[in-house]
């Protein structure tokens, strides 16, 4: 685990929350991205070495919709930057963590991602992120 890549925050209204977090952080979101496979619309804010990811549901069966329905708005997950998501998934499985997806999946912000079940991490949904390197950036 290299560093905290982002903190994911579940919100009901992405526009309103972007205005709020722009005031809070003093910077605008640097990226807005819809990820249909996760049923979310996201906004990313850079905060030094890490980021804030705001997530709003775009589908009723979205994990974010379910989270907000049960628990309201708030911190949804912590994402860690990893160099080799395949190796980390194998390592964590051997350590007894429940990896929620068999293969990494395409996330937002040009990342491969996977998740660990919160039951095995003291109630914190953990995400692993590996940057997808393009030919130009190695
Ligand atoms: C667009 C990609 C973006 C990126 O960064 O690239 C993202 O971050 S996408 C983020 C949204 N996608 C996901 O969260 C996918 C992974 N999540 C899941 O598979 C589910 O949400 C899961 C398994 C965590 C929970 O599933 P579900 O809601 O169907 O089950 P329950 O509600 O019964 O929850 C089971 C148990 O877990 C607790 N729980 C649920 N969500 C969270 C959470 N975010 N943090 C901590 N704990 C959570 C829930 O309270 C239940 O515990 P219990 O003690 O039984 O009440
Ligand atoms: Co995330």
């Amino acid at each position: 685990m290299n560093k905290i890549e982002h903190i994911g925050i579940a919100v009901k209204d992405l526009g309103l929350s972007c205005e709020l977090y722009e005031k809070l952080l003093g910077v605008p979101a640097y990226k807005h991205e819809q990820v249909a496979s996760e049923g979310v619309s996201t906004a990313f804010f850079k905060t030094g070495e890490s980021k804030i990811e705001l997530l709003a549901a775009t589908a009723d069966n979205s994990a974010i919709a379910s989270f907000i329905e049960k628990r309201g708005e708030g911190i949804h997950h912590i994402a860690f930057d990893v160099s080799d998501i395949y190796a980390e998934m194998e390592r964590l499985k051997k350590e007894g963590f429940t990896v929620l997806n068999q293969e990494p999946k395409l996330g937002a912000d040009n990342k491969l991602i996977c998740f660990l079940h919160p039951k095995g991490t003291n109630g914190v949904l953990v995400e692993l992120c590996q940057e997808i390197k393009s030919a130009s950036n190695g």
Side-chain angles (χ1 to χ4, degrees):
M1 305 283 196
N2 299 325
K3 65 176 182 177
I4 291 177
E5 209 283 332
H6 63 262
I7 304 282
I9 298 173
V11 299
K12 290 176 183 167
D13 183 318
L14 196 61
L16 284 178
S17 292
C18 278
E19 284 174 26
L20 182 68
Y21 272 78
E22 182 167 343
K23 280 185 204 148
L24 175 70
L25 302 173
V27 291
Y30 72 88
K31 178 178 281 190
H32 292 264
E33 188 176 349
Q34 295 235 1
V35 182
S37 58
E38 291 294 328
V40 295
S41 185
T42 65
F44 284 88
F45 294 81
K46 197 103 177 70
T47 52
E49 269 297 295
S50 50
K51 301 166 188 169
I52 294 293
E53 176 190 48
L54 302 181
L55 304 110
T58 54
D60 291 344
N61 63 351
S62 151
I64 296 300
S66 165
F67 178 87
I68 289 180
E69 189 185 328
K70 293 174 189 167
R71 304 160 73 123
E73 293 182 312
I75 292 179
H76 179 260
H77 62 273
I78 298 178
F80 293 95
D81 172 72
V82 296
S83 306
D84 181 339
I85 196 166
Y86 291 91
E88 276 301 285
M89 287 170 75
E90 286 314 305
R91 182 182 74 80
L92 291 165
K93 276 187 235 171
K94 286 194 182 93
E95 294 283 8
F97 293 95
T98 303
V99 180
L100 289 169
N101 30 304
Q102 287 315 307
E103 288 291 319
K105 50 187 176 179
L106 190 58
D109 207 24
N110 194 42
K111 299 279 187 309
L112 278 180
I113 67 171
C114 73
F115 290 88
L116 306 182
H117 199 290
K119 282 285 186 205
T121 51
N122 292 142
V124 176
L125 179 59
V126 169
E127 176 184 356
L128 305 184
C129 298
Q130 178 186 328
E131 183 159 6
I132 299 168
K133 301 266 189 240
S134 60
S136 59
N137 69 4

